[in-house]
Amino acid sequence: MNANLKTNYSRLLLIALLLCLAVITGCNTLAKKSNSGVVVARRAEIRSSTAVVAAKLLEVNRGDEVEILESVDVVDPTDNSRKERWLRVKAQDEESTEGWIESRNVMPHDVHESARKLAAEDKGIPSQATGQLRASSNLRLTPDRSGNDNIIMRFDSGASFDITGWKRVPKPKASESIETDVAPKAGSAPQPVSKSGKGNDEEKEPEEPNELWYKVRLPPTISPAPAGWIYGKQVELMVPSDIIFYRTGREFVAWQRLDGDSSNSADSSAKGKDAAKEARPGSWVILEKSSSDQAHTLDEPDFDRIYVLGYDKRDQEHYTAYRSPDLKGYLPCRVEGAGDSKTFSIRVQDEGGQMKEVQYGIYKDARGCVKVNAPGVAAKDRKRK
């Protein structure tokens, strides 16, 4: 009898231990030994515990690496229906400080590596435009907001970045995702002033089956992840103040300088919220796109006209150097060369649907005016005054 009791007691004890282990595993995950991350917040605290009153052990900064030892979901003390994930980490300071930090402040190593591979895809491609966030939004590894697995980090409203390309994708079936990329409700964020001259009573936009995403390049001062995708509705294109007033019925979708260092023509890393300001006026190649009342399609061109704007230093005014006929153009645009003799190249779809790269020559005539040699047009008038 005593043997049976002991056997039953042992079984009950084993079951109890297994149940405890299952409960613990459900809310507490041990990280792999090789698991590490990089701090994405400008500044964050490593604390002695996940409690609100926990002691601050160490302040870490954006770009600092930490070893992730453990993760746990903690109920938000201000809202019992919400949980916040915390990480137990080891810092790389002299004391190898161990403590707790909110997971939103740390980017796992595998996500960081995926973002670096994404940036490598656009190596050598110059910035095509500059953008700025209208409201807080997610930076993602893919142009898809139907879930949260591809989120790299969250950006605050006003963050600026270089745009290397864009893509239209089918709108997700769900109207809202868990971590939404849709702008907040009216009144919860400042509304940007429209640069198109339209007021708040503008005509209702057509129902869109697809949505626009921007592929962006980010400096280390803003994000440890060098690249990612941002939902287009959250982005305002920051057309340089030097050229914004020369729009005539078409939107500027990309631009690069033709004088000076064209590689920095849309560099937002040092301009911050003044990303649209230019230190001095100059000559530009601008890619334009017509407005339409029709819904956008997945395969539509990136732009439909090229506009080259010259600048007369003597008279201190701009002039139209070239306007192309309508075309089906695709990014990227590359400006190459030095001094007064440069080229820019784009991709164009011909009438047969074939894609080809086309190069335009840029030079200055005897009076110093910018001239364009379009493909198929003889280089004439170089000596004409």
Side-chain angles (χ1 to χ4, degrees), residues 56-77:
K56 298 178 181 179
L57 303 179
L58 179 70
E59 182 178 270
V60 287
N61 302 303
R62 179 176 293 151
D64 289 348
E65 293 189 3
V66 294
E67 182 182 350
I68 302 174
L69 306 174
E70 183 181 359
S71 66
V72 61
D73 291 332
V74 179
V75 175
D76 188 339

Side-chain angles (χ1 to χ4, degrees), residues 64-348:
D64 289 348
E65 293 189 3
V66 294
E67 182 182 350
I68 302 174
L69 306 174
E70 183 181 359
S71 66
V72 61
D73 291 332
V74 179
V75 175
D76 188 339
T78 62
D79 184 356
N80 292 333
S81 64
R82 290 182 55 193
K83 289 185 178 181
E84 296 177 345
R85 173 152 292 193
W86 285 73
L87 304 175
R88 186 167 68 87
V89 300
K90 179 188 290 187
Q92 293 189 351
D93 61 330
E94 293 182 358
E95 291 77 21
S96 297
T97 302
E98 289 189 22
W100 293 88
I101 187 172
E102 289 181 87
S103 66
R104 61 186 175 88
N105 293 324
V106 177
M107 180 188 303
H109 177 73
D110 57 345
V111 175
H112 187 227
E113 282 300 305
S114 296
R116 292 180 63 179
K117 291 179 181 178
L118 194 64
E121 295 175 358
D122 294 331
K123 185 178 180 180
I125 294 180
S127 174
Q128 304 294 296
T130 302
Q132 191 172 43
L133 280 184
R134 301 174 185 267
S136 179
S137 186
N138 291 318
L139 178 71
R140 294 178 180 263
L141 286 172
T142 56
D144 176 14
R145 59 188 180 95
S146 60
N148 299 334
D149 293 341
N150 63 347
I151 294 177
I152 299 176
M153 62 181 291
R154 188 83 173 171
F155 278 138
D156 293 332
S157 175
S160 57
F161 38 79
D162 290 339
I163 295 172
T164 57
W166 52 80
K167 183 179 184 180
R168 293 190 185 275
V169 300
K171 186 178 293 185
K173 294 180 180 180
S175 58
E176 295 284 341
S177 60
I178 301 173
E179 278 281 350
T180 180
D181 290 50
V182 178
K185 295 179 180 179
S188 61
Q191 299 299 314
V193 178
S194 174
K195 296 185 178 181
S196 62
K198 297 179 181 179
N200 294 328
D201 57 347
E202 61 182 288
E203 295 181 5
K204 187 178 179 180
E205 295 181 357
E207 184 66 26
E208 292 279 359
N210 307 309
E211 55 188 28
L212 177 67
W213 285 77
Y214 289 105
K215 194 175 187 183
V216 303
R217 178 183 293 146
L218 303 152
T221 54
I222 294 178
S223 166
W229 291 89
I230 294 181
Y231 181 42
K233 272 196 173 180
Q234 302 292 71
V235 177
E236 180 181 10
L237 292 183
M238 304 304 290
V239 180
S241 56
D242 182 25
I243 60 176
I244 191 171
F245 298 107
Y246 295 95
R247 293 188 296 191
T248 55
R250 303 195 193 198
E251 292 298 315
F252 290 178
V253 297
W255 52 87
Q256 289 189 56
R257 287 194 75 127
L258 292 173
D259 50 2
D261 185 1
S262 60
S263 64
N264 295 325
S265 60
D267 182 16
S268 64
S269 60
K271 297 175 185 176
K273 292 190 176 182
D274 294 328
K277 293 185 178 180
E278 287 296 325
R280 57 184 176 81
S283 300
W284 297 79
V285 55
I286 303 163
L287 307 181
E288 301 179 308
K289 188 167 187 178
S290 303
S291 301
S292 173
D293 294 333
Q294 302 298 316
H296 294 285
T297 61
L298 295 177
D299 58 351
E300 67 181 38
D302 294 328
F303 57 95
D304 52 33
R305 190 168 70 178
I306 302 168
Y307 179 25
V308 176
L309 193 64
Y311 181 70
D312 189 327
K313 293 182 179 179
R314 182 180 58 186
D315 295 336
Q316 296 187 359
E317 62 181 11
H318 288 92
Y319 57 89
T320 298
Y322 175 73
R323 267 199 179 99
S324 76
D326 286 355
L327 47 76
K328 293 182 179 180
Y330 296 84
L331 299 179
C333 175
R334 301 176 187 270
V335 176
E336 298 175 310
D340 293 337
S341 180
K342 291 188 176 183
T343 63
F344 69 88
S345 58
I346 57 169
R347 293 183 301 140
V348 175

